[in-house]
Amino acid sequence: MSILKRITSTLILSEALVLSTTLYSKAFFINAQVAYLSSFFVIVGASFAYKKMIITKVDAEAYESDRDLLDTIEDPHGLYDGEAINEAPAEELDLKTIVKEEKAKIKTFSVKSMKHGARGSASVFRIVPYIFLVLGFIALQNNHLLDLSAYLPSLLIGIVVGTLVSKEIAH
């Protein structure tokens, strides 16, 4: 079965589940629909934005592949890289210089790191679903339709379906 058919069948099945809540009550259906769509869009939007960010970095070759996966697992901090260790006696070492060199190696919060983090989190694919989530919740509350016993489980349905669809999109 093709990816599009699997995604479509998953969406139809989940939407049929949500539509079946109209048999219980209209308010239950509205809560379920808003929560389901909100969480579904948040999961799919975040995974799509992440995939897009990764593809952009790979295309720009902005990644480092200097260490293999096994080496990273065994020595995550690079303690056994084989760099020469200063074996000079303690009296001959200039500790102030060593401290300055080590402080320079530490990554600090900078405009460049903030720009990098903001780029991933400020994607339209991430912001719009969260706006939908918040506005949907507020609309339900303001219209006295919010029923948390229907809303919260429906969030789970959207999360599960969004995860399944995201995995299909990733392949």
Side-chain angles (χ1 to χ4, degrees), residues 86-96 98:
N86 192 346
E87 305 256 346
E91 300 83 32
E92 296 177 13
L93 293 175
D94 184 15
L95 295 178
K96 288 184 180 181
I98 294 172

Side-chain angles (χ1 to χ4, degrees), residues 97-115:
T97 307
I98 294 172
V99 169
K100 285 181 183 178
E101 289 173 1
E102 292 301 318
K103 280 186 177 180
K105 291 180 186 178
I106 297 173
K107 294 181 180 179
T108 59
F109 185 73
S110 65
V111 174
K112 183 179 179 183
S113 67
M114 186 176 76
K115 182 180 173 185

Side-chain angles (χ1 to χ4, degrees), residues 10-97:
T10 303
L11 291 175
I12 289 173
L13 183 65
S14 63
E15 191 59 37
L17 177 68
V18 173
L19 281 173
S20 69
T21 62
T22 57
L23 299 173
Y24 184 69
S25 77
K26 183 179 175 184
F28 193 92
F29 165 71
I30 292 171
N31 277 279
Q33 187 70 36
V34 169
Y36 163 73
L37 289 176
S38 297
S39 60
F40 174 77
F41 290 147
V42 166
I43 298 295
V44 171
S47 65
F48 189 74
Y50 183 72
K51 180 180 178 183
K52 187 177 171 186
M53 184 178 68
I54 296 298
I55 288 171
T56 303
K57 283 190 175 263
V58 169
D59 289 346
E61 296 179 9
Y63 61 91
E64 296 179 17
S65 60
D66 56 346
R67 297 178 71 193
D68 64 342
L69 180 62
L70 186 59
D71 187 32
T72 304
I73 292 170
E74 290 178 349
D75 184 23
H77 303 292
L79 299 176
Y80 304 107
D81 281 346
E83 294 178 8
I85 298 173
N86 192 346
E87 305 256 346
E91 300 83 32
E92 296 177 13
L93 293 175
D94 184 15
L95 295 178
K96 288 184 180 181
T97 307

